[in-house]
Amino acid sequence: MTVTAAMCARTIVFHLLLCMIIAIPVYGQFQTCRGTQLGPVPALHGFSATDRLELYREMYTGCTFVEYNLEIVGLDASADLSFLSNITEVEGYILIAENAFSAIALPQLLIVYGNTLYFDRVLRVSDNPVLTEIRLPELRELSNGFVLFENNPVLCFVRYSIEWRALQVNTTLNNLTGAALQANCPNMTCSSPYCWGANTLQKQPFNYVGFTNCTATVCS
């Protein structure tokens, strides 16, 4: 295949993916969008980081409920992810992999159902070399599946300042070793011992009925 033909083929695939998000129903402030189930970067082999960002922006701007999965893969350091700010629910899993940005925020995310899983994982964060924070300050529940952090050498807070038992019924197969140790992270100014980030705005909320290992000063 010639270079020109290959470029045309990628362009056609890119626009077909965009077509998949047409005719999304909107009900007041509730907007459903179709996520993806592509997996890591090879599923979009040949697409630039700019192409991927444009695809994600078209898919998720204004979205509150993600059908399928939320996969953020292969973006560069300058990626503006503010279009994720309205998402409150994800039907399947969340995958954040092979990115060059330093932080990602889903400020209104409440629940990830895990109706489909990524190799038993409802949340997988892997191979993000400069990622320091995942900000999920409203997250209440991971309904099904386990959590994996892998090869995120400077990712702070998730390993030592999140109470995963408040989010999951079963945490036995969680693997948090691919995130940074507390000794390698900045001091928190958060008012709670359970935080997604350094400041008070990233305090972890607690309302899961099965979780009782907390006090009035910690749980909100």
Side-chain angles (χ1 to χ4, degrees):
M1 182 181 291
T2 66
V3 173
T4 301
M7 291 177 64
C8 289
R10 288 198 297 270
T11 300
I12 292 169
V13 172
F14 180 72
H15 287 287
L16 285 173
L17 287 170
L18 288 182
C19 287
M20 292 171 60
I21 65 172
I22 294 174
I24 295 171
V26 179
Y27 306 101
Q29 298 301 310
F30 181 82
Q31 179 170 325
T32 298
C33 61
R34 295 186 180 95
T36 56
Q37 42 193 351
L38 301 174
V41 169
L44 289 176
H45 181 71
F47 284 68
S48 69
T50 301
D51 288 339
R52 293 190 188 94
L53 181 63
E54 179 61 23
L55 177 63
Y56 294 147
R57 183 181 290 111
E58 292 284 344
M59 294 173 70
Y60 298 124
T61 296
C63 177
T64 59
F65 180 87
V66 178
E67 293 181 343
Y68 303 113
N69 313 296
L70 176 61
E71 299 176 313
I72 303 297
V73 177
L75 299 184
D76 61 26
S78 62
D80 178 359
L81 302 175
S82 58
F83 55 83
L84 300 174
S85 62
N86 293 319
I87 295 173
T88 59
E89 301 173 78
V90 176
E91 180 184 28
Y93 61 78
I94 294 179
L95 171 67
I96 302 169
E98 302 188 27
N99 298 291
F101 50 69
S102 61
I104 184 171
L106 293 160
Q108 297 193 61
L109 181 66
L110 296 172
I111 184 168
V112 185
Y113 292 101
N115 291 342
T116 58
L117 299 174
Y118 190 85
F119 297 100
D120 296 325
R121 307 298 176 176
V122 65
L123 174 63
R124 177 173 179 142
V125 183
S126 59
D127 302 298
N128 302 283
V130 298
L131 183 64
T132 60
E133 289 187 14
I134 296 177
R135 300 165 185 157
L136 308 173
E138 296 299 324
L139 184 62
R140 261 64 172 185
E141 184 175 328
L142 302 173
S143 304
N144 181 41
F146 301 100
V147 172
L148 173 65
F149 292 92
E150 184 177 47
N151 299 325
N152 309 284
V154 294
L155 177 59
C156 290
F157 308 108
V158 296
R159 187 169 178 176
Y160 59 87
S161 68
I162 293 299
E163 181 49 86
W164 294 100
R165 292 174 299 171
L167 299 172
Q168 301 168 268
V169 174
N170 185 352
T171 62
T172 55
L173 295 182
N174 283 1
N175 186 341
L176 311 178
T177 59
L181 295 170
Q182 183 173 5
N184 298 325
C185 292
N187 293 328
M188 291 192 304
T189 58
C190 182
S191 61
S192 166
Y194 302 109
C195 296
W196 290 98
N199 62 60
T200 300
L201 295 176
Q202 300 305 317
K203 180 180 177 181
Q204 181 185 9
F206 291 89
N207 72 344
Y208 179 60
V209 294
F211 183 68
T212 58
N213 185 26
C214 58
T215 68
T217 60
V218 172
C219 298
S220 60

